[in-house]
Amino acid sequence: MTRIRIRIVRRERTTRGFHLLLTVLSLIGAFLIAGVLMIFLGVNPLAFYSIFLQSSILTTWGLQITLSYLVPILLCCLSAIVSYRAALWNIGQEGQYIIGAMTALAAGAFLFPNVPPPLSYIILVLAGAAGGGVWALICGLLRIVSEINEAVTTLLMYYVALQLLNYVCRVAWRNPAFVGHPETYSLAPQYMLSFGGSLAIAIAVLVITWFLIDRTKLGLELDLLSEGFRVAQYSGVKPSRVILWSMFFSGALAGISGALYLASTSGFLQPEFSVGYGFAGIIAAWLCDLKVLYAPLASFLLAMMYSSGHALQACLHVSIDIIDAIEGLILMAVLTVHFFTRYKIVLVRQ
Amino acid sequence: MKLLELRGITKRFAHTVALDNVDFDLLKGEVHALLGENGAGKTTLVSIISGVYQPDSGQILLEGKPVTLKSPRDAYRRGIVLVPQHPALPESLTVYEALALFLDKSPSRKLKTFIEERLRKFGIEVDLDKRISLLTPYEKVKVEIAKALVADAKIYIFDEATSLLGHGDRELLYKIIRTLCAEGRGVIYITHRIDEVFNIADRVTVLRKGRKVLTRRINEVTREELLEAMFGKKLEEYAGPRSASTHGEGLAVENLTVQDDYGRLAVRNVTLSVKYGEIVTILAAPGAGHREFLEAIVGLRKPVSGRVKVNGIDVTGRDPSFIRRMGVAYIPDDRLGLGVAPGLAVKWNLVMRDLDKFTTKVGTFHKFLNDALVKVLEKVGLAPDVLPVPCAELSGGQIQRIITARELFLREVKVIVALNPFYGLDYETTSLLRKTLIDLRNSGCAILVATEDIEEAVKLGDRILVMREGKILKEFSGSTVSARELAKVLTL
């Protein structure tokens, strides 16, 4: 008697084209499932797709909003890439994003409020980078000194950052002019950026990151560290130095993300400043397979989700939380791609 | 009565046959020694008996009944216990908790009394309430043995147990084994030392290249016969005349003492020197300390005391990249774990040890990079199209060629250190590598090779040192020694 069994077998080698095709198919799958979800919510899936596209790319207004979300998500995505390439699991981009915005505000509202424009933007970026970088660096130090896993510390440090944000909004930097809702003092006007300006800075940061990671030995050092301490040591890489450097770099990128978002939106902080761009960036990083040059594409898709949220809520009367569900589906799609690039399912006759 | 019987066991890994139609049995109350060179198949056979691997074909019978051993836990439930070569214990528990966990029982006063009585009977002294992370390496070994003793198993397997304990506790181990046998249990004792076989075993089985060569009662076999069975034709190897003309001291090691990963002294006060233009081979059995010795020389391990000098310059305790820049090449035997970064392309694996040479001050890679890499690949007989391929996708032979190319040809080297460089290689790669090393010796390099293979030691060494328990036991001249002499010293 022959029985047919399903077995999971390791794949030999996959081409880049196969990987791309698989990614696209999985994403289509994720959106099909989202459509089914809509049916359960009593919404016509076609209406959902149409509003999703209109509110994110098909209208000028929508596209502008998407691009404004692209900047923070892209930078958090780069932040994730820099640490994951070294097999360091920084998942606290959201916290570093908050701290980056806070240090940028400290510089632009209190420390150097009278600096003229080109210099003010440099201060803005550097302050954000320093804040986010140091926030992540603390976790890198803990990893080296007492071997505490950075995935735990970076996540917990997010909650510390969140409380700090609450503290500055409600107590330390609270602007008494706003009655009712707790908000901080604003950045000095010459620190404020247009969407185009923040996009330009983000692209510059992307190019610098790409150069460092893909064209210099710093990137190779990250890769070697991800292959294990012993190989790294054997090839002359000092693991602790690379851990500190990559955690700082990673945190700095998330910090810049917070600084730019602050300067290109309201200019002041409020307790609702943290909306999850850091976590979206992590998903984008896996979606682009940790490749810097594909990061904009993956981040753009996540930004589309964010920009369509309000339109979906307004037009279809679904909760805005639906975008969290779709984000989850995209993550599932990423995992599917990872599985199928490594394994295949075969039927075996026994 | 047969406690255990294996019939026609065959086990393949990828392209190699680890065990080929092997029969083995164990009687009640006997010690059956398993003897063989490194790579003969001892560990694979024991892994099958203890449920780690399943055989591709063949049958396992426990007390006459055919069984399938699905996992180590399954084997344990059926009364088979392995005392592993290296302790693997839950560090955060106390000794007593670890033993209870292993027995799958809740801690109770009754259990503790039972454990205490059992350990007292065997003369094992360990503090049951001490946390395992606080134990010394030797105490951890005792806990591994204690685990086996409280388990009330039918079959005990000791894997190279004396290399664990060192000289002092050897008698204690022999006493434990005799007590176990007196209780009607069976013991499988793995070793590569003939002396031990005569000391403790009732019967002996010799494996060579995955095949069973002989099984005899210990009083019906001679030392010579066992040597013959272990090494076969290799014993006929004689070294030819050597044409080494040496000058100056390339590598000098003075009174070097090194610890292993478990904190035990692996190398004790070793002194040796390698001159330019000669190959010195260290012949050693696995775990003799040669690995730690070489790693301390190339900077992968910090020595406890002693000095290492390269070309007269003290490099003791410096990091691997500093020693590399002094012109030292290291060919490790853990190819995938240390020799290459498996996930990275061949290109990056070639440049990773000489980043200072291939990058500018800014850190960008030089333009001439690819041309240089293609040239060295040619020297080891590889085509340039492997450059973008991740090392994990290459064969063992190809990976060893990549390591060879990187270590020997991408920088001018004066001193070459290699650990088991031929282990598991195909014939072609072996001869290419051997020829490369001899050519470099002739052009004036100082070469130190540690190997676990007698044949390679004889074929390669201008001088041959035998290492055991972290010490140099004896030195031979490469032009006059015979493999038989070496085999005798190695299996003492």
Side-chain angles (χ1 to χ4, degrees), chain A residues 205-282:
Chain A
V205 173
L206 172 84
V207 171
I208 292 170
T209 308
W210 167 78
F211 179 77
L212 287 176
I213 299 293
D214 283 357
R215 282 293 173 272
T216 74
K217 73 171 180 183
L218 294 175
L220 185 55
E221 286 182 344
L222 296 183
D223 289 339
L224 283 167
L225 186 67
S226 77
E227 294 280 326
F229 270 39
R230 263 172 79 76
V231 179
Q233 196 196 8
Y234 174 52
S235 52
V237 173
K238 294 196 174 60
S240 47
R241 216 190 59 197
V242 179
I243 289 176
L244 291 180
W245 175 83
S246 118
M247 284 302 277
F248 179 82
F249 190 5
S250 169
L253 288 164
I256 295 173
S257 155
L260 291 185
Y261 196 65
L262 175 76
S264 64
T265 53
S266 60
F268 55 80
L269 287 170
Q270 48 189 5
E272 296 78 24
F273 185 73
S274 158
V275 287
Y277 300 132
F279 298 114
I282 294 173

Side-chain angles (χ1 to χ4, degrees), chain A residues 10-14 16 85 211-238, chain B residues 295 299-301 319-321 330-332 337-344 348 351-353 355 359 362-365 388-390 393 403 406-407:
Chain A
R10 264 195 99 88
R11 229 181 248 284
E12 291 285 303
R13 208 180 157 197
T14 53
R16 214 173 276 178
R85 277 276 291 268
F211 179 77
L212 287 176
I213 299 293
D214 283 357
R215 282 293 173 272
T216 74
K217 73 171 180 183
L218 294 175
L220 185 55
E221 286 182 344
L222 296 183
D223 289 339
L224 283 167
L225 186 67
S226 77
E227 294 280 326
F229 270 39
R230 263 172 79 76
V231 179
Q233 196 196 8
Y234 174 52
S235 52
V237 173
K238 294 196 174 60
Chain B
E295 286 183 352
L300 282 166
R301 208 176 268 280
D319 60 82
S321 58
Y330 179 51
I331 301 177
L338 178 62
V340 294
L344 302 192
W348 303 123
V351 299
M352 73 180 201
R353 285 265 280 161
L355 286 179
T359 51
V362 195
T364 51
F365 293 97
V389 181
E393 290 170 18
I403 297 172
R406 175 186 71 210
E407 294 297 321

Side-chain angles (χ1 to χ4, degrees), chain B residues 71-372:
Chain B
S71 64
R73 201 71 204 165
D74 188 25
Y76 165 72
R77 280 194 207 101
R78 293 173 190 274
I80 300 169
V81 166
L82 168 74
V83 179
Q85 206 171 351
H86 301 296
L89 298 162
E91 296 277 327
S92 58
L93 301 185
T94 65
V95 174
Y96 170 58
E97 287 165 344
L99 293 177
L101 179 72
F102 176 68
L103 294 172
D104 209 2
K105 286 187 175 137
S106 323
S108 67
R109 183 155 297 172
K110 213 176 119 196
L111 180 66
K112 196 161 186 179
T113 322
F114 163 76
I115 289 175
E116 278 166 350
E117 270 169 20
R118 189 95 185 125
L119 295 187
R120 199 173 308 128
K121 178 175 179 185
F122 286 96
I124 290 197
E125 287 167 27
V126 280
D127 182 352
L128 285 181
D129 296 316
K130 211 168 176 182
R131 208 159 284 285
I132 286 174
S133 56
L134 300 175
L135 299 180
T136 67
Y138 293 99
E139 287 172 323
K140 284 184 190 172
V141 172
K142 281 190 182 169
V143 174
E144 276 291 355
I145 294 174
K147 249 170 75 178
L149 295 181
V150 295
D152 190 31
K154 293 180 196 122
I155 297 166
Y156 285 84
I157 307 168
F158 289 89
D159 191 355
E160 304 272 1
T162 40
S163 73
L164 289 170
L165 281 167
H167 256 302
D169 287 324
R170 195 167 298 171
E171 282 312 314
L172 173 68
L173 182 71
Y174 290 163
K175 208 186 111 207
I176 290 170
I177 289 175
R178 287 192 193 101
T179 316
L180 287 172
C181 290
E183 290 180 339
R185 305 164 204 271
V187 173
I188 301 172
Y189 192 89
I190 302 168
T191 181
H192 54 269
R193 292 167 64 170
I194 294 178
D195 261 24
E196 279 212 309
V197 173
F198 284 106
N199 254 326
I200 187 77
D202 300 304
R203 279 195 302 161
V204 56
T205 287
V206 180
L207 293 180
R208 185 169 84 224
K209 290 180 182 168
R211 294 196 181 173
K212 191 185 93 170
V213 186
L214 65 75
T215 299
R216 293 275 184 81
R217 296 202 59 75
I218 203 72
N219 47 18
E220 292 164 358
V221 72
T222 65
R223 185 179 291 272
E224 281 297 312
E225 281 173 302
L226 289 181
L227 267 183
E228 207 71 52
M230 274 175 84
F231 298 105
K233 277 205 179 117
K234 279 187 185 178
L235 291 178
E236 289 157 25
E237 289 282 346
Y238 277 87
R242 304 291 153 110
S243 59
S245 67
T246 61
H247 59 93
E249 203 168 49
L251 175 71
V253 180
E254 293 160 15
N255 305 318
L256 200 67
T257 298
V258 190
Q259 284 183 340
D260 66 9
D261 293 339
Y262 306 91
R264 295 174 295 200
L265 287 184
V267 181
R268 298 152 197 255
N269 215 16
V270 170
T271 298
L272 74 76
S273 93
V274 184
K275 296 199 168 56
Y276 288 120
E278 74 167 343
I279 299 179
V280 174
T281 53
I282 295 177
L283 177 63
H290 50 305
R291 174 183 309 275
E292 290 78 7
F293 183 60
L294 297 196
E295 286 183 352
I297 292 174
V298 299
L300 282 166
R301 208 176 268 280
K302 300 268 175 273
V304 178
S305 62
R307 294 259 149 267
V308 178
K309 286 179 187 165
V310 170
N311 199 22
I313 296 163
D314 194 330
V315 298
T316 320
R318 301 303 296 258
D319 60 82
S321 58
F322 177 85
I323 293 171
R324 171 70 175 164
R325 288 197 296 275
M326 301 293 297
V328 178
Y330 179 51
I331 301 177
D333 69 343
D334 182 7
R335 285 168 206 148
L336 283 172
L338 178 62
V340 294
L344 302 192
V346 168
K347 177 178 173 178
W348 303 123
N349 272 290
L350 284 172
V351 299
M352 73 180 201
R353 285 265 280 161
D354 302 291
L355 286 179
D356 59 315
K357 259 190 83 177
F358 291 106
T359 51
T360 60
K361 277 224 171 79
V362 195
T364 51
F365 293 97
H366 283 304
K367 287 224 171 62
F368 64 78
L369 188 67
N370 272 333
D371 297 339

Side-chain angles (χ1 to χ4, degrees), chain B residues 11 47-55 60 62 66-78 80:
Chain B
K11 179 74 187 170
S47 300
I48 284 174
I49 298 172
S50 56
V52 177
Y53 297 139
Q54 279 70 50
I60 304 173
L62 267 181
V67 292
T68 327
L69 301 170
K70 291 187 208 94
S71 64
R73 201 71 204 165
D74 188 25
Y76 165 72
R77 280 194 207 101
R78 293 173 190 274
I80 300 169

Side-chain angles (χ1 to χ4, degrees), chain B residues 462-491:
Chain B
D462 298 316
R463 283 190 290 139
I464 298 158
L465 314 173
V466 179
M467 189 174 217
R468 153 109 59 85
E469 286 170 6
K471 288 180 183 155
I472 303 287
L473 211 61
K474 217 166 174 182
E475 175 170 342
F476 298 91
S477 156
S479 48
T480 53
V481 75
S482 71
R484 191 174 293 273
E485 278 175 82
L486 287 176
K488 275 184 188 160
V489 180
L490 189 68
T491 56

